[in-house]
Amino acid sequence: MGTLWYGIVASMIGVYVVLDGFDLGAGVLHRFIAQTESERRQVLAAFGPYWDGNEVWLLAAGGTLFFAFPRAYAVGFSGFYLPLMLVLWLLVLRGVSIEFRSHHESALWTLFWDSTLSLSSGLLAVVFGAALGNIIRGVPIDASGYFSMGFFELHGPGVLDGYTVLVGAFTLVLLTTHGALFLSWKTEGPVQTRARKVARVAGGLALALLVVATVASHLVQPALFAVMGSRPLACVLAGVAALGIAAAVVGIVRGRDLLAFLGSSATIVGILAATAALRYPILLPSTIDPSQSIAVHNAAAGEAGLAAGLWWWPIGLVLACAYFTFLFHRFRGKARGGH
């Protein structure tokens, strides 16, 4: 039962990164890729209908983690208290930026909130990537079952150190590419042309950083790759990521924007799912003593509770899928600017 919920939580996080990833990337580019007020409204019209719904997946994944693995939730949220507060403030700033930019007719006012949107979107991508880096490398969980670590340690380990900042930088570039491909698909005219150019440059940089981050991950956590030969599912999911990269490249080269965006989505899902498959059954590894790691067997809720949850979780999933199907159908087609 714990294994099933491990897969459910990992799947929900993957869906969140794919969906909120494109509006984070579009948010990063919003300040730079649009050069007039009409173009900025076009970018906002492209991702505006989706961003708040996409963030519901983050709340749902956090709630599911709390339900299925309360110990992992307690240890992770207490150890990462400051970064989580930072995430909360950045999420608030994104929402406020989108809502407030049009409340006052002033170039300085609009410039401030547009810059805030780009900055908060970029920092969120970096922090989420650093969080993934900490989960891969591990945290100093001791005999008390908890951990604490510095926010920034140049020589690590810290919430932000050389390795986690590298993973954060890779995440920023990857989601920027994802957002550029989304804008290529959902816009037209000069914004689409610039988005395609950004996707080519950022996509190449993301591939280079993927190689560097993979090598660095092998150096800081060699055990993660040592089990790959005995995890066929992880190999299949890594193959999904490779196919996604190939589809994205073909889509970019041939100007098939939807194919490129779907390829980018498959790449993100493949990378995260393969990492989860390699990391199983560990939720949060200990760098001090592996026996202190937070794993499925010592963090899962009771069997009766997990079984009861299986009656309710599918209902929520169906409702969420129905909502997003309606949303993408309702706002299908190209987004256009306005005054």
Side-chain angles (χ1 to χ4, degrees):
M1 192 65 75
T3 299
L4 176 60
W5 281 101
Y6 179 91
I8 288 174
V9 172
S11 300
M12 294 180 73
I13 293 173
V15 171
Y16 166 71
V17 176
V18 168
L19 290 178
D20 208 30
F22 72 69
D23 65 60
L24 282 174
V28 171
L29 295 172
H30 170 70
R31 177 69 181 82
F32 312 101
I33 209 168
Q35 297 181 354
T36 66
E37 177 60 19
S38 177
E39 290 177 358
R40 293 191 181 97
R41 288 182 179 275
Q42 185 182 19
V43 173
L44 287 172
F47 75 85
Y50 312 105
W51 71 272
D52 48 356
N54 293 340
E55 290 181 356
V56 170
W57 284 95
L58 179 62
L59 298 175
T64 306
L65 177 67
F66 173 69
F67 163 76
F69 303 104
R71 188 183 171 209
Y73 183 93
V75 174
F77 275 60
S78 62
F80 291 129
Y81 186 78
L82 179 58
L84 287 169
M85 290 298 103
L86 179 60
V87 166
L88 181 62
W89 276 103
L90 291 173
L91 288 172
V92 170
L93 282 175
R94 286 192 78 229
V96 170
S97 300
I98 295 170
E99 297 295 335
F100 275 29
R101 72 175 303 279
S102 301
H103 283 202
H104 182 59
E105 294 291 337
S106 165
L108 183 60
W109 174 272
T110 306
L111 174 64
F112 173 77
W113 288 116
D114 286 344
S115 300
T116 301
L117 173 60
S118 293
L119 181 62
S120 57
S121 298
L123 287 176
L124 270 172
V126 173
V127 172
F128 285 144
L132 176 62
N134 276 282
I135 292 173
I136 293 174
R137 181 206 57 209
V139 293
I141 301 173
D142 56 24
S144 70
Y146 291 88
F147 71 94
S148 62
M149 54 200 302
F151 185 74
F152 183 78
E153 299 287 345
L154 182 60
H155 301 293
V159 175
L160 295 178
D161 56 32
Y163 170 68
T164 58
V165 169
L166 170 64
V167 179
F170 163 64
T171 304
L172 172 62
V173 177
L174 178 64
L175 296 187
T176 300
T177 306
H178 194 48
L181 292 174
F182 175 78
L183 292 177
S184 301
W185 170 44
K186 291 294 290 183
T187 63
E188 57 189 1
V191 172
Q192 183 188 50
T193 301
R194 294 185 204 114
R196 287 173 171 171
K197 290 180 180 177
V198 169
R200 292 191 192 97
V201 175
L205 182 58
L207 280 176
L209 285 174
L210 173 61
V211 175
V212 175
T214 302
V215 172
S217 298
H218 184 269
L219 293 175
V220 302
Q221 190 55 272
L224 187 69
F225 295 87
V227 300
M228 192 153 192
S230 60
R231 303 281 174 94
L233 178 60
C235 297
V236 170
L237 293 169
V240 170
L243 289 174
I245 292 172
V249 171
V250 171
I252 291 172
V253 171
R254 297 186 178 180
R256 297 175 61 183
D257 300 314
L258 179 57
L259 174 64
F261 177 67
L262 292 176
S264 174
S265 301
T267 302
I268 293 171
V269 169
I271 291 173
L272 291 175
T275 303
L278 290 172
R279 192 74 282 182
Y280 177 82
I282 304 299
L283 293 160
L284 201 55
S286 170
T287 56
I288 297 176
D289 181 359
S291 67
Q292 302 296 334
S293 297
I294 306 299
V296 170
H297 68 274
N298 63 18
E303 289 285 318
L306 295 179
L310 289 180
W311 288 96
W312 296 102
W313 184 81
I315 297 174
L317 178 65
V318 169
L319 290 174
C321 291
Y323 171 73
F324 276 91
T325 301
F326 166 78
L327 196 62
F328 276 87
H329 178 74
R330 175 66 178 80
F331 294 98
R332 65 188 182 279
K334 299 290 187 180
R336 292 176 174 81
H339 298 283

